[in-house]
Structure formats: structure tokens, C-alpha cells
Amino acid sequence: MGKIKKKYTEGASRTYITRNRAIKRLQVSLADFRRLSILKGIYPVEPRSRKKANRGSAKATTFYYSKDIQALLSEPLIAKFREHKVFLRKLQHALGKDDLTRAKTLDANRPQYSLDHLVIERYPTFVDALRDLDDALCMITLFSTMPVVRRVNKDAVDECKRLAAEFMHYVVHTRSLRKTFLSIKGIYYQADIQGQSVTWIVPYQFSQNMPRNVDFKVMATFLQFYRTLLGFVNYRLFTVSNLAYPPTIDRTLDDSAAGLGSLKIEASRIEDLVQPPAQEMAESAQNGEAAAEMKQRLRTLDKKIEAIVAAPEYESVDSGNANDDDEGDADAEQQQQQPGSVLFGRQVFFLSREVPRYSLEFVVRAFGGRLGWDRSSGGGSPYTENDSAITIQIADRPVQGHQFLNRVYVQPQWVYDCVNARRLLDFDAYLVGQPLPPHLSPFVEYADGDYVPEAAARLALAAGFEGEVTALRPEDRDKTNSESEDENGDADNVEGESADEDEVESDDDSDQESDDDEDAGDSSRAEKEYQKQLVAERSGVSYT
């Protein structure tokens, strides 16, 4: 007689575990279990048969993989959470007895824990971290614009501002920005970092009302992990680019709201360039060849220091070494691989006080442009409004107090459309006071048979796109069909004609001109009818 199997020891009941049984096995509270699940990246699953997974019960519950819960048993964060609970209990006891001395001592020795091991565990390679960076950037940029209230910690907001500024600082330095889009929710950006596309959204800097129906405890847990993740990513990106991390912040410029200009680009080994070691100085004094090398380094020291001083203009420190042919060739190859990275390289912008400087400064500098801004927008501007070097002024007011004749006044949308088109567009449609053309999303990809807006087709053709973009529009389809019918009719007429060749050619030319006029009239009528239908649909009239 074989051994009798016990119930619920194999199958779905063994593979899955309910949330209540998981909490009992881990011996933690529901809040701590949620924090552990978020930090470890463990999410609920849906079994094929809920009844079998729940041991014959059809009650609605949440399921997890049993192996994930088993792995949480050896997580060191559980012990840290328990230590924190003991600390809170002791602190509350000391405050209840008015023992302020003991309360201060306990608060000074508050237990701390790190999430560094979780980042290494969840992302074995750096590419994995870059692929999961979209949500982290969106969350951090969101909290960087939030007001400091009871549910949002000031230290968290300050760290989010610093991490977001460092990442944008790297994107500007490496010319990695590729796409931008202005939406109702915020401003979308997409950067190409080491072959991975990173897309994030930055909210507009308006005053925000904190909603009451949002669980900020859950968002704070996500934010805690994302801050650690972005710190790792920023450190790796700066180190690979031979930049010192964290970047030096000019406190004077930062206090005057200088924006990205308050961050300075420095080489990671700048101390070796400025202050040579004492041992190297002694050896160079004894060895004539080493002395000549030291003299050569001292001759180029001024250029290196000038490159470091020019860091707010976001020029590379190594770009000052004009005599280094290898580095020049590498920079040329990088520019060829990244077309459009110096789109605004020959332009000098000035931002009026009514335009969003926090976004335009990032976009313009990411594409090699230089810019200044009004004093009311912040200090540290390298250009004033009456500077003769300014070629383009970005304004959003139809009436300007004073206009300079040696510059062009355009609206902010021109900058974003130029970035998406990868070329400098004409100023006529973006002049101040003119109705703007449609701002198209660069993230939309048109398939065969989809309707392509006229502006998108025009930009694609101007950029040298090789494809049937215009044929996707309704009026172009009608024109193509009419042309094919005319060609068939002309071929039949040629076969049956026996007149002279001169008369045939003259008749064909006249027929072709008349056909072109008819096609133009048909397409214009179709376009007018289509516009009437759009207007009727907006007013509520439906067409069957």
C-alpha cells in the first residue's frame, strides 16, 4: 500500500500563497509587508484557478508566489524594521515621561538602513537599470516640484531636485537628448543613453494642490528606492564620462536661481592636473626627460584651467586640448554618430521672463546652444538683453516694449519643433503674435494606411524621408487613383489612334492639363468637404 498524500502539499496550493499566510509566515505587519514587496519588486500574481490556489475556497484574496515569500525570510530589512519599531516605542516612552535628555539621545542614535544591496540584486547589469529608469525619473521629477508639507519630507524634495539636476547635467554634457513634446500633463523628454532610450516627463512648475485621496506612504516607499537607484545610475554615468561626482555646485549662483548654470563640469582627476604629486616633482628634477614632460604639462595647464572655468557653458574639459589629434577624431566620430547634437551651436538665445526657462535652458544647452535670460528669472545670466551677440529671442507676448533689429523674435514652440525635426525650421510660422502650427508628437509612428497630418508629412518630406507618406492622406489617395485611371485611358487612346504624331502629342498635352485641373479641383473640394465634416463633428452633428 502506497503512502497517502496529504492535501495541499503540491500543485497550485503549493505554488501560490495568500497575503494573510505570507504575513503570518514573515511575522510582520501589513504596512511592513507592503514596503518589503515594493522594495524587493515582488508583486501579486493571478493563478489559473483561484479555487485550487486557495485550498478549495473561492474567497477573493491576493496571491503571491511561495518562492518569493520564502526569499523574504532571509531579507535583512525585516530586522531593520523591527529595530525601528523598538526605537519608536522607546522614544514614545521617554517623551511620555518628559525625559527629554533620553529622547534626544535616542533620536541621535536613530537606526538607519540602506537599500544599496537591493539595487544590485534587482539590476545585475547597468543596462537593466537604464531600462527601468523611466519610472524612477518620472517619480523624482514629480516630487522635485512638490511643496514641502506634512506628508512630503523636505529632505526628500531637496534630494530629488539634486538628482534630477545631475541627470539633466549629464544629458546636456553628452548631447544625449533626442525628442521633446509639450503635453497637458507636462513636458516629455527622451534621451539616448548608452544605446537605451530613456523617456520621462517633467511637470510644469505651477503651484500644486496636494490631493487627499492619494496614499503618499506608498509613493514614499517607491520614491525611497528610486532615489537610491538614480544615485547609482548618476554615479556610473559621471564616472564613465570622466566627470567628478557629485558635481560641484556654486552656492552663489544656486542661491540666485541660476539653474543648470550653477553646476560645474570637472574632470574626475582634476587634482592631478593642478597639483602634481611631490614624488613626481622630485623625479622630474633629477631626470631630464621627465622635466621636459613636466614643462609641457605646465604649458598646457592654462588651457585646461580655462576649460574648467568655461564649465557653465557645458563645454567638455577635454575639448580645450586642440593639439590632441586622437581626441579630436573621437569627438568628430561622436558628432557623426549623433546628428543634430549641435543643432543650436551657432545660435545665441535670450529668454524673456514669461517663457519656461527651466525647460528651454535644458533643451537649448543639450543641443549646443548658448543663452541668457532676464534678471527676474534668476541670476547668473551670461548675456544681457541688449547684447549684440544674441541672434534669437524667445518671447510669448504679442507686444514687445523694445525690439532689436539684429535678432529674430520667436515663440517657444519653435525650439521644440526644431529638436523633433532635427533641423532649424523657418521663423515665419513661429513669429511672435502669429498663430502657431500644430505641435505634433514625435513619439507617434505612422503605419501603412494611417492618416498622417499634413504638417507631419511636410516635415518628413523636408527631412528627406523616403516613403509614401503623402499617399496616406485621403486627398492624395483620390489623386493617385485619378492619375492611374487617366494613364489607363491615355494608353487605350494611343493604341487606337492613327493620326499624326504632332497632333497626338498636342492632344495629350491638352488632355493632361485639363486632367490636372480636374484633379486639383476634386482634391480641393474633397479637402473642403472634409473640413466641413470636422467642424460639424465638433459642434455635435454626427455623420452616418
Side-chain angles (χ1 to χ4, degrees):
M1 183 176 179
K3 186 176 180 181
I4 301 175
K5 294 183 179 179
K6 295 183 179 180
K7 296 177 64 176
Y8 313 124
T9 56
E10 62 182 10
S13 59
R14 186 66 179 272
T15 305
Y16 304 97
I17 185 174
T18 61
R19 187 179 65 179
N20 292 334
R21 289 202 298 268
I23 291 175
K24 290 181 181 179
R25 181 177 297 183
L26 296 175
Q27 296 182 2
V28 294
S29 63
L30 179 59
D32 291 341
F33 178 75
R34 287 176 176 173
R35 293 179 63 189
L36 280 173
S37 300
I38 294 173
L39 296 176
K40 292 283 290 184
I42 297 175
Y43 301 103
V45 295
E46 184 66 23
R48 291 184 178 180
S49 177
R50 299 179 63 90
K51 189 173 183 180
K52 292 181 180 180
N54 202 12
R55 300 182 178 182
S57 176
K59 183 180 179 181
T61 183
T62 305
F63 294 93
Y64 294 87
Y65 282 118
S66 300
K67 291 184 178 180
D68 293 342
I69 303 302
Q70 187 68 24
L72 286 179
L73 290 173
S74 59
E75 177 57 44
L77 285 179
I78 296 180
K80 294 295 183 179
F81 290 166
R82 291 170 181 167
E83 291 179 5
H84 188 72
K85 284 187 176 181
V86 173
F87 159 75
L88 292 179
R89 189 161 52 247
K90 290 181 179 180
L91 182 61
Q92 186 178 4
H93 182 72
L95 292 176
K97 289 190 173 183
D98 292 335
D99 191 354
L100 300 181
T101 302
R102 178 172 173 76
K104 291 181 180 179
T105 304
L106 290 172
D107 186 66
N109 298 323
R110 181 187 294 268
Q112 304 289 339
Y113 61 90
S114 175
L115 304 180
D116 297 346
H117 66 285
L118 294 181
V119 176
I120 300 175
E121 177 183 343
R122 292 181 60 176
Y123 306 105
T125 62
F126 185 63
V127 177
D128 297 333
L130 290 178
R131 290 173 181 172
D132 201 19
L133 198 61
D134 298 353
D135 295 337
L137 283 173
C138 292
M139 180 71 74
I140 287 176
T141 53
L142 173 63
F143 273 84
S144 64
T145 58
M146 281 190 176
V148 178
V149 294
R150 183 176 61 86
R151 291 177 290 178
V152 180
N153 190 10
K154 179 180 181 299
D155 296 336
V157 174
D158 294 340
E159 185 177 1
C160 289
K161 291 180 180 178
R162 179 181 62 83
L163 291 174
E166 290 174 358
F167 183 78
M168 296 170 68
H169 173 83
Y170 170 81
V171 172
V172 168
H173 177 70
T174 57
R175 306 286 194 264
S176 302
L177 190 63
R178 294 293 175 267
K179 297 179 181 179
T180 60
F181 179 65
L182 304 174
S183 68
I184 299 177
K185 296 186 295 183
I187 305 175
Y188 284 89
Y189 300 106
Q190 186 179 88
D192 186 8
I193 300 177
Q194 298 187 6
Q196 301 296 325
S197 296
V198 180
T199 307
W200 73 100
I201 181 174
V202 178
Y204 296 108
Q205 293 186 359
F206 298 142
S207 59
Q208 299 183 6
N209 295 326
M210 305 301 292
R212 297 181 178 271
N213 56 352
V214 176
D215 192 353
F216 279 92
K217 292 183 179 179
V218 176
M219 295 184 66
T221 305
F222 278 102
L223 181 65
Q224 185 181 12
F225 177 76
Y226 287 152
R227 284 155 53 189
T228 307
L229 172 61
L230 189 56
F232 269 82
V233 172
N234 287 347
Y235 173 78
R236 176 64 181 272
L237 293 176
F238 274 69
T239 304
V240 171
S241 301
N242 195 26
L243 300 177
Y245 185 83
T248 305
I249 300 177
D250 192 336
R251 295 299 177 185
T252 304
L253 295 177
D254 188 39
D255 294 339
S256 61
L260 294 177
S262 60
L263 299 176
K264 294 184 178 180
I265 293 182
E266 296 180 353
S268 59
R269 296 179 178 83
I270 190 62
E271 294 83 5
D272 299 338
L273 297 177
V274 179
Q275 298 178 357
Q279 184 178 359
E280 185 178 353
M281 293 287 293
E283 292 178 356
S284 63
Q286 297 176 1
N287 193 348
E289 184 178 357
E293 182 181 358
M294 179 58 63
K295 291 180 180 179
Q296 181 65 23
R297 293 180 61 183
L298 292 176
R299 290 193 196 99
T300 61
L301 183 61
D302 296 336
K303 295 182 179 180
K304 295 175 181 178
I305 294 177
E306 291 177 358
I308 297 171
V309 173
E313 298 296 331
Y314 290 98
E315 296 179 357
S316 176
V317 175
D318 296 333
S319 62
N321 302 330
N323 297 328
D324 197 347
D325 297 336
D326 297 336
E327 293 181 359
D329 296 340
D331 295 339
E333 292 179 359
Q334 184 177 5
Q335 291 182 2
Q336 291 178 359
Q337 295 176 359
Q338 299 178 359
S341 59
V342 289
L343 182 65
F344 303 131
R346 298 182 179 180
Q347 308 297 332
V348 180
F349 295 82
F350 187 82
L351 307 181
S352 300
R353 58 181 176 85
E354 70 273 5
V355 300
R357 176 199 152 198
Y358 58 91
S359 176
L360 290 172
E361 180 184 5
F362 171 60
V363 174
V364 169
R365 285 183 166 172
F367 285 87
R370 295 170 294 171
L371 76 163
W373 51 86
D374 192 78
R375 291 183 301 174
S376 61
S377 301
S381 175
Y383 299 96
T384 58
E385 187 175 4
N386 56 359
D387 198 322
S388 60
I390 297 175
T391 58
I392 300 174
Q393 181 165 346
I394 303 176
D396 204 8
R397 288 176 293 171
V399 179
Q400 301 292 324
H402 176 72
Q403 292 188 0
F404 296 88
L405 300 178
N406 59 346
R407 68 184 65 170
V408 181
Y409 290 81
V410 296
Q411 302 184 51
Q413 184 180 328
W414 179 82
V415 176
Y416 301 99
D417 288 348
C418 288
V419 170
N420 297 332
R422 313 297 293 174
R423 64 185 182 88
L424 296 179
L425 301 176
D426 295 334
F427 300 112
D428 297 338
Y430 299 90
L431 296 177
V432 175
Q434 295 291 334
L436 290 172
H439 182 55
L440 303 176
S441 173
F443 302 100
V444 177
E445 297 181 357
Y446 301 102
D448 293 339
D450 294 344
Y451 172 73
V452 180
E454 183 180 357
R458 186 167 56 252
L459 290 177
L461 292 176
F465 177 78
E466 296 180 358
E468 298 180 356
V469 177
T470 56
L472 298 178
R473 294 179 294 173
E475 59 270 20
D476 293 329
R477 295 197 194 99
D478 298 338
K479 184 176 181 180
T480 305
N481 296 333
S482 61
E483 289 178 355
S484 61
E485 293 176 358
D486 295 337
E487 291 176 358
N488 295 331
D490 293 339
D492 295 338
N493 293 331
V494 169
E495 292 178 358
E497 285 179 353
S498 59
D500 295 336
E501 294 180 358
D502 298 336
E503 296 179 357
V504 171
E505 291 178 358
S506 61
D507 293 340
D508 291 340
D509 294 338
S510 61
D511 292 340
Q512 186 176 1
E513 292 177 358
S514 61
D515 292 339
D516 293 340
D517 296 338
E518 292 177 358
D519 293 339
D522 294 339
S523 61
S524 61
R525 285 194 296 270
E527 179 66 22
K528 292 179 181 179
E529 184 66 23
Y530 179 68
Q531 295 296 334
K532 290 180 180 179
Q533 293 178 4
L534 290 179
V535 173
E537 288 180 1
R538 294 193 189 100
S539 61
V541 179
S542 60
Y543 284 84
T544 58

